[in-house]
Amino acid sequence: MNDTRPMIEVRGARKFFGPLEVLKGIDFSVARGQIVAVIGPSGSGKSTLLRSINHLETLDGGEVWLDGVQVNQKLDRRSFERHINGVRQQMGMVFQHFNLFPHLNVAENITIAPIKLKGMAKAEARALALKMLDKVGLADKIDAFPARLSGGQKQRVAIARALAMQPKVMLFDEATSALDPELVDEVNLVMKQLASEHMTMVIVTHEMRFAAEVADRVIFMADGAVVEEGSPAEFFRNPKQERTRSFLKKFLNG
Amino acid sequence: MDIALIGRIVPVFVQAAWTTVELSLLSLALGLAVAALVAMLRLSHVAALRFAGAAYVSVFRGTPALIQIFLLYFGGPQVGIQFEPFAAGAIALGLNIAAYMAESIRGGVLSVDRGQMEAARSLGFGEGQSMRWIVLPQAAKLMIRPLGVNAVALVKGTALVATISVVELTYTAQRFIGSTYKPFEIFAVTAVLYMIMVYGLTLLIDRLDRAYAGEA
Ligand SMILES: Nc1ncnc2c1ncn2[C@@H]1O[C@H](COP(=O)(O)OP(=O)(O)OP(=O)(O)O)[C@@H](O)[C@H]1O
Ligand SMILES: [Mg+2]
């Protein structure tokens, strides 16, 4: 295997919602084990970009590659469905609103995909769920229903659910934005731990401090384009573009 | 009030009410099956199928059930479709209630948060798998009440097939008017029997609803 090949590569990504051009030709790549934070004002297209990576949004132009396989390749409907389901199994996604399955308990939330999609035996899947819950510090909640969990706990279960598929990359779309402030840290902690295990991650976030702490690279988007990118140190200490400066200033002033 | 008359007619009317129950159950089964199909059409990605589903709903909700019954029972033989009154009644009522039930099913599916489908898809589930394991189990709970309302309407609507001489409760009541001239007693007994059927159905729906609610 070629270890220098990027894990995620996006080339010339364009997306329209009706007449509105939301992504105006985005290029970026994420190396194996790299952590990229995507920041930018509301409506700049961060979520759309992230969702294009696992094809929850269909690009109107450009390419997305995961580990040498084109995600948005042209295939007939049936073949594409099979292809994309396979690709998505290799990408974990964490949503702002958790999207846990409320009719399933924590164990079932985590095991349903490995059991149904990978044919894993129930006992093995439960052991896997326990291991993943251990990672996020919630082993004691294995039989609880989502309605019984706090927001922070829900998001940690959602991360465990994604991890149980042993994905090559993890995509986070404002994983902590819906949480009460005192619950943010427990989720950030789990993400930092994943970072230390060299999980490849793309993290869309509004938390500048967290981005600075965890990311190898920061990408600043505005109006559907990448305005500036760099290491957190240069990006936050010495932003080159006026647009970046005014965005960061607004953030610092609250 | 002719109590003796009431005592005399009750056994016959209970028998007739049983026919109403059978008729209701048959049309309910047919209605649910057709409704599931129409709801699938309504939710399809294919525009032509969506249109077909919408057309079904418009036609069956946009015309009186009585005319649908007449069309099948009286109009059918003219184009080679012939049914006994009971069968014609059950089919027409079933096809009619299916239009309403399809909307209840569709409403349930659409009420499930979009994020549920997205979460399932992002794990690698196909569209059908996501529907079956993630969306429908949640939608089912949301459908019980509206489908229950449809079922109650169906039971009361069975009275319409008296017009094509299906010997159910309403037809039986009308037949007794001629021989007794006591419409008050007769229709009062009839109304009470309908109420008992509807009440029983309501209890059943409540139970179902609670059983599902307790699950999550
Ligand atoms: N499904 C959709 N249909 C129409 N317009 C959409 C849709 N999704 C997003 N948009 C629009 O596309 C633009 C980019 O949205 P996107 O959600 O990607 O922004 P974002 O950077 O994630 O913003 P936020 O920080 O508020 O989450 C916005 O103008 C938004 O209104
Ligand atoms: Mg967003």
Side-chain angles (χ1 to χ4, degrees):
Chain A
M1 291 296 301
N2 180 0
D3 264 13
T4 58
R5 177 174 67 201
M7 185 59 106
I8 298 172
E9 183 150 35
V10 176
R11 292 192 209 132
R14 302 188 69 192
K15 174 74 185 175
F16 290 84
F17 284 118
L20 182 70
E21 188 172 15
V22 178
L23 299 179
K24 300 173 176 166
I26 303 248
D27 297 288
F28 83 104
S29 69
V30 185
R32 199 171 297 265
Q34 200 177 37
I35 294 150
V36 170
V38 180
I39 63 172
S42 185
S44 54
K46 306 179 298 292
S47 296
T48 308
L49 176 64
L50 195 74
R51 291 160 56 82
S52 306
I53 295 175
N54 73 350
H55 206 79
L56 283 181
E57 301 289 355
T58 307
L59 289 179
D60 297 308
E63 296 177 357
V64 178
W65 293 73
L66 173 73
D67 202 12
V69 175
Q70 189 178 352
V71 174
N72 62 338
Q73 55 186 277
K74 294 265 170 295
L75 291 169
D76 65 88
R77 226 179 62 88
R78 257 172 190 226
S79 317
F80 185 77
E81 179 80 7
R82 210 171 316 117
H83 156 75
I84 198 64
N85 292 341
V87 167
R88 283 174 177 153
Q89 289 184 32
Q90 304 169 48
M91 294 199 248
M93 181 139 191
V94 175
F95 301 86
Q96 186 176 353
H97 296 287
F98 332 126
N99 298 355
L100 287 184
F101 306 134
H103 61 302
L104 303 177
N105 68 22
V106 166
E108 292 162 337
N109 263 276
I110 298 173
T111 59
I112 187 168
I115 289 173
K116 303 278 188 197
L117 297 173
K118 292 185 167 173
M120 193 178 281
K122 276 210 171 130
E124 192 190 342
R126 188 169 168 96
L128 174 69
L130 200 54
K131 197 172 129 204
M132 294 302 144
L133 285 171
D134 234 357
K135 244 176 150 58
V136 302
L138 288 172
D140 57 322
K141 299 291 183 192
I142 189 160
D143 292 316
F145 274 91
R148 292 284 159 130
L149 304 178
S150 73
Q153 293 172 333
K154 280 182 194 161
Q155 195 60 297
R156 284 145 72 196
V157 171
I159 294 172
R161 175 176 73 178
L163 290 175
M165 288 301 279
Q166 269 135 4
K168 291 179 174 169
V169 309
M170 287 285 285
L171 311 173
F172 294 87
D173 192 359
E174 295 192 31
T176 56
S177 296
L179 298 177
D180 293 336
E182 72 272 19
L183 301 177
V184 168
D185 281 345
E186 62 187 68
V187 173
N188 283 346
L189 207 66
V190 168
M191 290 168 69
K192 277 186 195 160
Q193 184 194 322
L194 275 179
S196 72
E197 294 166 11
H198 306 292
M199 172 64 81
T200 309
M201 300 199 269
V202 181
I203 301 171
V204 171
T205 183
H206 278 155
E207 289 179 86
M208 299 305 135
R209 190 135 53 89
F210 180 64
E213 279 171 21
V214 78
D216 300 311
R217 200 148 53 88
V218 179
I219 293 181
F220 173 61
M221 280 180 73
D223 290 332
V226 173
V227 174
E228 180 165 355
E229 62 173 293
S231 73
E234 39 176 323
F235 180 87
F236 287 111
R237 232 171 287 147
N238 192 13
K240 291 179 187 61
Q241 305 292 326
E242 179 48 41
R243 187 88 203 243
T244 316
R245 277 197 286 270
S246 73
F247 174 76
L248 289 176
K249 200 184 295 164
K250 225 174 284 163
F251 242 93
L252 291 178
N253 298 342
Chain B
M1 181 85 91
D2 189 341
I3 303 287
L5 171 71
I6 292 176
R8 256 199 338 275
I9 64 171
V10 160
V12 185
F13 276 42
V14 166
Q15 190 103 44
W18 185 245
T19 305
T20 293
V21 170
E22 288 175 327
L23 185 65
S24 301
L25 287 176
L26 268 173
S27 5
L28 184 66
L30 175 68
L32 277 171
V34 174
L37 199 85
V38 173
M40 265 171 64
L41 293 178
R42 292 277 273 142
L43 294 165
S44 163
H45 291 296
V46 183
L49 297 182
R50 267 200 318 272
F51 178 82
Y56 184 96
V57 172
S58 302
V59 167
F60 280 91
R61 287 204 314 195
T63 54
L66 188 61
I67 300 303
Q68 294 163 22
I69 293 165
F70 285 173
L71 196 62
L72 179 65
Y73 183 68
F74 297 117
Q78 208 181 314
V79 292
I81 307 170
Q82 197 142 12
F83 288 110
E84 297 296 306
F86 183 87
I91 292 170
L93 288 170
L95 294 180
N96 175 266
I97 205 66
Y100 295 87
M101 291 185 149
E103 291 302 274
S104 300
I105 292 173
R106 175 169 164 268
V109 170
L110 291 180
S111 309
V112 175
D113 180 58
R114 230 176 51 125
Q116 292 292 307
M117 177 58 101
E118 289 193 341
R121 297 307 305 267
S122 76
L123 287 166
F125 285 109
E127 171 139 50
Q129 295 173 314
S130 308
M131 207 39 138
R132 162 140 190 246
W133 288 315
I134 304 303
V135 177
L136 281 180
Q138 298 177 54
K141 194 159 61 183
L142 303 171
M143 286 173 204
I144 292 174
R145 290 267 154 214
L147 285 177
V149 171
N150 298 147
V152 167
L154 172 65
V155 171
K156 293 191 287 186
T158 55
L160 290 173
V161 301
T163 55
I164 57 169
S165 16
V166 179
V167 188
E168 42 66 79
L169 186 52
T170 299
Y171 181 86
T172 304
Q174 284 169 337
R175 220 182 39 185
F176 270 74
I177 307 282
S179 51
T180 61
Y181 300 103
K182 293 273 171 63
F184 183 81
E185 284 84 347
I186 283 169
F187 283 124
V189 169
T190 306
V192 167
L193 285 171
Y194 274 115
M195 255 182 66
I196 292 170
M197 288 188 273
V198 168
Y199 182 67
L201 180 59
T202 314
L203 286 183
L204 190 73
I205 295 161
D206 279 342
R207 268 186 108 122
L208 271 176
D209 196 45
R210 249 177 294 132
Y212 263 84
E215 236 175 50

